[in-house]
Amino acid sequence: MSEDFYDALGVSRDADADEIKQAYRKKAAEYHPDVSDDPNAEEKFKQVKKAKEVLTDEDARAAYDQMGHDRYEQAEKRGFDASQNGQDPFGGMGGMGGGQGSPFDDIFEQFFGGGGGGRGRGGPRPGRDLRAALTIDLEDAFFGTSREMTVTRPTRCSTCDGHGHPEDADARTCPGCDGRGQQVRVQQTPLGRVQQTTTCPQCEGEGTLYSETCPDCDGEGVVMEESTIDIEVPEGIRDGQTLRMDGEGAPGEPGARDGDLLVEISVEADERFERDGDDLYVTHPVSFPQAVFGDDLEVETLDGTVSMDLPKGTQSGETFRLRGKGMPRLQRRGQGDLFVRVQVVTPDQMNAEQREALEAFAEAGGEEIDVKEGFFEKIRNSL
């Protein structure tokens, strides 16, 4: 799938960042591989994710609009020669130009490792995603549930509002990177000159040093705190699926979005039911007469009991389908099916009348059975 990023998200070319993010959330929910039936869901999900990343980055969007979709993707695949110093990898085709000081230096540095500006020029860094785990039982997965989860996570420091330094601290340009936030190292290799860009260790990519650090967060901008989060688990969720809690992850730098909390769901095995996708399997015991003559059975489901007609002459191990009595389909209509395995139970104890009737049944069918009684059973029958 190679589609214009604006078309992929369904937004106009003058859409602002908020419109793009809102469109992305809608498309991501539609194409997420865990919930979508579309055979190309994974590829479409990756495409809308990439579209959002490019169109919400000011420099990347400017380059994309200038180059067009096809040339932009080709530029990513083509790579970047450090000797071009940030120039258009297609040699200036399409009006990119690109000598020293090109307005697109930063975007080519991001994609090709060239020598553009540091993190400060690319905007504040968003928060990283955090992970947690939640275990529920099969009934919770059937009906859905609300849970409170306590997590210890980094939280933006309230003392310095995440800046890592007092508001009145003196600021100066980092001497290690001249305020760029990054350091560039050029090496000569058998394949030519290779340019490597790394985050400046002195200012950690800020480009600025401050005379004081925040006493509560030691300049990190975040502190570890215990938080209680409400988790809404939808009905039909499967073991191993992940819920994304928007904005509940680690805080971003001031002006950037917070990360998300990814909650991996574990569904405990159930003693009564086996689950296969949206279908359930249950074993239902029946007596020998029920199997021979048929009966109206009361079958247990996760949503109460239902009636099932057991045909005459049912064999042990036969399976019957009860449509729509399985698990709810996640974010879709309807339910899976319930498969009922019939197990004919052989009695391990019989009274004399039952024994005589069964022996007569065997004889009527021409079966010769050597019925042996134990010592205590003989005494019991004689009494």
Side-chain angles (χ1 to χ4, degrees), residues 190-211:
L191 299 178
R193 297 171 66 232
V194 175
Q195 182 168 301
Q196 182 180 15
T197 303
T198 59
T199 300
C200 175
Q202 192 168 348
C203 65
E204 297 184 348
E206 293 290 341
T208 306
L209 297 177
Y210 297 91
S211 59

Side-chain angles (χ1 to χ4, degrees), residues 245-273:
M245 312 296 294
D246 290 340
E248 297 290 355
E253 293 179 346
R257 70 176 300 275
D258 294 341
D260 300 330
L261 177 64
L262 307 179
V263 183
E264 183 174 345
I265 301 298
S266 296
V267 182
E268 293 179 325
D270 191 272
E271 294 181 353
R272 302 160 296 167
F273 300 94

Side-chain angles (χ1 to χ4, degrees), residues 78-121:
R78 185 162 180 165
F80 178 71
D81 185 347
S83 64
Q84 290 180 316
N85 295 320
Q87 296 182 19
D88 180 2
F90 294 96
M93 294 168 55
M96 282 296 294
Q100 292 284 355
S102 164
F104 301 105
D105 282 355
D106 285 352
I107 189 61
F108 279 107
E109 174 198 31
Q110 178 180 347
F111 288 129
F112 306 115
R119 191 179 69 205
R121 300 175 70 182

Side-chain angles (χ1 to χ4, degrees), residues 61-88:
R61 184 173 180 177
Y64 181 79
D65 290 342
Q66 180 73 20
M67 298 172 68
H69 182 78
D70 291 341
R71 181 174 292 147
Y72 186 88
E73 290 207 325
Q74 292 172 20
E76 287 188 294
K77 296 176 181 177
R78 185 162 180 165
F80 178 71
D81 185 347
S83 64
Q84 290 180 316
N85 295 320
Q87 296 182 19
D88 180 2

Side-chain angles (χ1 to χ4, degrees), residues 90-293:
F90 294 96
M93 294 168 55
M96 282 296 294
Q100 292 284 355
S102 164
F104 301 105
D105 282 355
D106 285 352
I107 189 61
F108 279 107
E109 174 198 31
Q110 178 180 347
F111 288 129
F112 306 115
R119 191 179 69 205
R121 300 175 70 182
R125 182 168 53 192
R128 61 186 177 88
D129 294 340
L130 302 178
R131 291 187 173 273
L134 177 64
T135 299
I136 60 175
D137 59 31
L138 189 60
E139 288 195 13
D140 288 334
F142 183 89
F143 293 106
T145 185
S146 298
R147 294 290 183 86
E148 284 190 348
M149 173 177 285
T150 301
V151 295
T152 301
R153 59 179 177 171
T155 304
R156 184 175 288 109
C157 177
S158 59
T159 303
C160 64
D161 195 27
H163 291 87
H165 56 82
E167 187 176 354
D168 57 355
D170 294 331
R172 62 186 178 91
T173 300
C174 175
C177 62
D178 293 327
R180 298 169 67 87
Q182 294 179 327
Q183 295 178 342
V184 178
R185 183 176 63 182
V186 178
Q187 291 181 312
Q188 187 67 38
T189 72
L191 299 178
R193 297 171 66 232
V194 175
Q195 182 168 301
Q196 182 180 15
T197 303
T198 59
T199 300
C200 175
Q202 192 168 348
C203 65
E204 297 184 348
E206 293 290 341
T208 306
L209 297 177
Y210 297 91
S211 59
E212 299 178 62
T213 58
C214 174
D216 290 340
C217 65
D218 293 328
E220 295 295 329
V222 295
V223 292
M224 298 301 294
E225 289 186 355
E226 197 173 77
S227 303
T228 300
I229 302 172
D230 293 325
I231 308 293
E232 293 294 331
V233 181
E235 60 181 35
I237 197 164
R238 300 184 186 182
D239 182 66
Q241 289 188 316
T242 299
L243 298 176
R244 179 179 291 271
M245 312 296 294
D246 290 340
E248 297 290 355
E253 293 179 346
R257 70 176 300 275
D258 294 341
D260 300 330
L261 177 64
L262 307 179
V263 183
E264 183 174 345
I265 301 298
S266 296
V267 182
E268 293 179 325
D270 191 272
E271 294 181 353
R272 302 160 296 167
F273 300 94
E274 297 176 28
R275 183 179 184 180
D276 182 12
D278 294 327
D279 296 330
L280 293 174
Y281 290 81
V282 65
T283 298
H284 191 89
V286 299
S287 67
F288 179 67
Q290 284 179 306
V292 173
F293 299 112

Side-chain angles (χ1 to χ4, degrees), residues 5 50-58 60-61 64 72 111:
F5 288 159
K50 182 178 179 182
K52 187 266 294 185
E53 291 173 350
V54 171
L55 298 184
T56 54
D57 184 293
E58 184 177 347
R61 184 173 180 177
Y64 181 79
Y72 186 88
F111 288 129

